Amino acid sequence: MTAKTYWLEHAWLDTHVEPGVAVDVLDGRITAVRQDLDTPPPGAEILRGLTLPGLANAHSHAFHRALRSTVQVGSGTFWTWREIMYSFADKLTPELYHALARAVYAEMALAGVTAVGEFHYVHHAPGGTRYADPNAMGEALIQAAADAGIRITLLDTAYLSAGFGQPPTTHQLRFSDGDADTWAERCSVLKDRDHARIGAAIHSVRAVPAGQLATVARWAEERRAPLHVHLSEQTAENDACREAHGRTPTRLLADHGVLGPRTTGVHNTHLTDEDIALIGDSGTGTCMCPTTERDLADGIGPAVALQKAGSPLSLGSDSHAVIDLLEEARAMELNERLRTRTRGHWTAAALLRAASADGHAALGWDGAGTLEPGALADFTTIRLDSVRTAGPLPRLGAETAVFAASAADVSHTVVGGRHVVRDGVHALVPDVPKALADAVAALRG
């Protein structure tokens, strides 16, 4: 790849905002970061506004994007929402999934996301019949990310039962490989590539029998791959786990070797003090998804206590009620303010790290999420002259990004040194709204 230089009008350099920064790029990585440049170097590409490291969406279910607004009609709970979700999952084919995911990942790029963690469990055809390529659905997602110009960690998910001691329901048959050994055999065929990493996931303690949890954990350990798990999202799951195993889901995972530095618990909402200590002491990460957690009336997780205990925080848009990592960062702080009635639990810089460097680490992308030599040349620029961001001093750019800006303020997204979004227009999917509308309409039939 030809060497290239970007001149950043303002750049967030992990701890502060620096004006006039040149970033040299070669072969998709940053080779130099030069500061105190009042004017752009000759030939540099100019990015006006505030440039941040690329954002990492650490928890995604791409097909849930089709439910946006549809599930807002009427009342209900997580469990009634789940039935509507299943009705959409039933209709997915590899072709429909590719089209929808391509549009969803393009929407993410427009929002400054450069890497996504796809929690993927729709593996087979309805009824559980395998496609000719048993990984056709996962490959569709990997290709969709490439076509949208972003990186993906495909978190291939073991989903084997409907609940403790219960076989899969009719809807869930297409999620299940039967047992964890067969799951491992199938997903072992998947391979990393330049834009994609293969990780693992345990859907939840109710969806993987306790005796098979270690199989999934061992698969991830042998490959040094990330391992994610939905954890204590609902109190009903906690109650059922205690009834079946006499312990909390967190303790069950710990007892079967699932927790650890490459593991991320998603949601981590309804935890005991012992749970928090187990997660923190093991270095297990926490992915908070505030917009989904409030949309589904899940509750507010103990993010502050988890981080203090030693659990790194990342962020995800999960069901894609909205796709806006800045909103996720803001919501984590504001949720905690509502819960405690005090302010200032995280600095803006800490929230941005959760949305960038720590999110990339949770997805297995080492050397990403920072603007420094050797890092992947993935970054995004936010306008400082929109109706939301105009006014504050540029040195308060981190605060402006987290507490004022939205995905609508993203003007540029660069992945591997290549412009994917320029001036708010996606370079590979020129009409993202139409792509979304067409894909959702096709899924609805």
Side-chain angles (χ1 to χ4, degrees):
M1 181 182 289
T2 304
K4 190 170 190 177
T5 297
Y6 288 92
W7 182 78
L8 318 181
E9 184 181 27
H10 302 281
W12 180 64
L13 301 180
D14 190 50
T15 58
H16 66 287
V17 172
E18 187 76 22
V21 174
V23 174
D24 298 327
V25 175
L26 179 65
D27 295 333
R29 288 190 177 270
I30 297 172
T31 58
V33 176
R34 295 176 282 149
Q35 301 181 30
D36 300 319
L37 301 178
D38 293 333
T39 58
E45 187 151 351
I46 298 171
L47 301 183
R48 297 285 181 190
L50 171 66
T51 297
L52 313 169
L55 306 179
N57 190 348
H59 189 65
S60 163
H61 299 291
F63 78 92
H64 289 191
R65 174 62 177 79
L67 279 71
R68 187 181 293 179
S69 298
T70 300
V71 291
Q72 308 305 331
V73 178
S75 59
T77 65
F78 168 86
W79 306 102
T80 54
W81 167 88
R82 192 175 72 158
E83 292 305 311
I84 301 172
M85 180 269 288
Y86 283 159
S87 71
F88 280 83
D90 288 344
K91 299 174 184 176
L92 288 169
T93 65
E95 295 75 22
L96 285 176
Y97 211 0
H98 171 266
L100 178 59
R102 171 179 173 268
V104 173
Y105 297 155
E107 182 181 359
M108 290 184 193
L110 289 173
V113 172
T114 57
V116 60
E118 185 61 38
F119 201 99
H120 166 55
Y121 57 81
V122 187
H123 300 305
H124 309 299
T129 302
R130 288 196 168 204
Y131 292 105
D133 174 0
N135 288 304
M137 296 293 269
E139 292 290 351
L141 292 164
I142 292 170
Q143 187 59 50
D147 293 343
I150 69 171
R151 304 183 195 277
I152 185 172
T153 297
L154 186 76
L155 297 161
D156 197 288
T157 304
Y159 195 137
L160 307 172
S161 58
F164 298 99
Q166 300 175 21
T169 66
T170 299
H171 292 300
Q172 295 164 342
L173 287 172
R174 70 181 312 190
F175 308 161
S176 178
D177 289 294
D179 59 52
D181 287 328
T182 307
W183 165 84
E185 181 182 1
R186 176 186 54 74
C187 62
S188 292
V189 178
L190 292 161
K191 302 299 180 187
D192 288 354
R193 51 214 82 173
D194 287 346
H195 81 289
R197 297 285 181 270
I198 307 302
I202 293 164
H203 180 272
S204 55
V205 293
R206 69 178 185 274
V208 177
Q212 300 183 54
L213 291 170
T215 300
V216 183
R218 186 166 53 251
W219 187 94
E221 176 66 25
E222 289 172 352
R223 289 159 180 78
R224 314 295 287 177
L227 173 62
H228 288 214
V229 54
H230 289 136
L231 181 55
S232 289
E233 182 179 5
Q234 295 290 323
T235 55
E237 178 182 280
N238 289 358
D239 294 342
C241 187
R242 284 193 178 95
E243 183 176 348
H245 297 289
R247 66 200 81 178
T248 67
T250 302
R251 169 54 73 182
L252 186 67
L253 293 175
D255 290 348
H256 289 274
V258 174
L259 302 185
R262 280 188 303 281
T263 299
T264 297
V266 181
H267 303 304
N268 290 2
T269 308
H270 303 286
L271 303 176
T272 66
D273 289 344
E274 182 192 27
D275 292 339
I276 293 170
L278 285 169
I279 291 168
D281 290 346
S282 63
T284 299
T286 295
C287 179
M288 289 293 181
C289 307
T291 64
T292 290
E293 288 150 6
R294 68 191 183 199
D295 184 62
L296 298 182
D298 286 344
I300 299 172
V304 171
L306 283 161
Q307 188 171 53
K308 286 181 178 178
S311 180
L313 298 180
S314 56
L315 296 165
S317 63
D318 193 359
S319 69
H320 311 314
V322 297
I323 294 177
D324 188 338
L325 264 289
L326 301 175
E327 170 61 23
E328 303 294 346
R330 174 165 55 246
M332 189 163 68
E333 165 67 24
L334 298 186
N335 280 355
E336 193 67 17
R337 292 182 185 186
L338 283 174
R339 193 177 70 82
T340 64
R341 290 178 290 174
T342 59
R343 305 173 76 230
H345 302 278
W346 292 278
T347 64
L351 293 168
L352 285 179
R353 280 193 292 274
S356 54
D358 290 344
H360 282 93
L363 297 179
W365 288 98
D366 297 329
T370 60
L371 297 177
E372 59 185 25
L376 291 170
D378 299 354
F379 37 89
T380 187
T381 303
I382 295 171
R383 291 177 55 191
L384 294 179
D385 59 356
S386 76
V387 293
R388 288 166 293 278
T389 61
L393 296 171
R395 64 180 175 80
L396 298 176
E399 287 73 16
T400 300
V402 171
F403 293 107
S406 78
D409 297 310
V410 171
S411 55
H412 304 286
T413 300
V414 173
V415 181
R418 180 183 68 164
H419 249 108
V420 175
V421 174
R422 187 190 299 271
D423 295 322
V425 177
H426 200 289
L428 304 176
V429 188
D431 192 341
V432 178
K434 184 177 187 302
L436 286 163
D438 290 348
V440 171
L443 186 61
R444 287 178 175 164

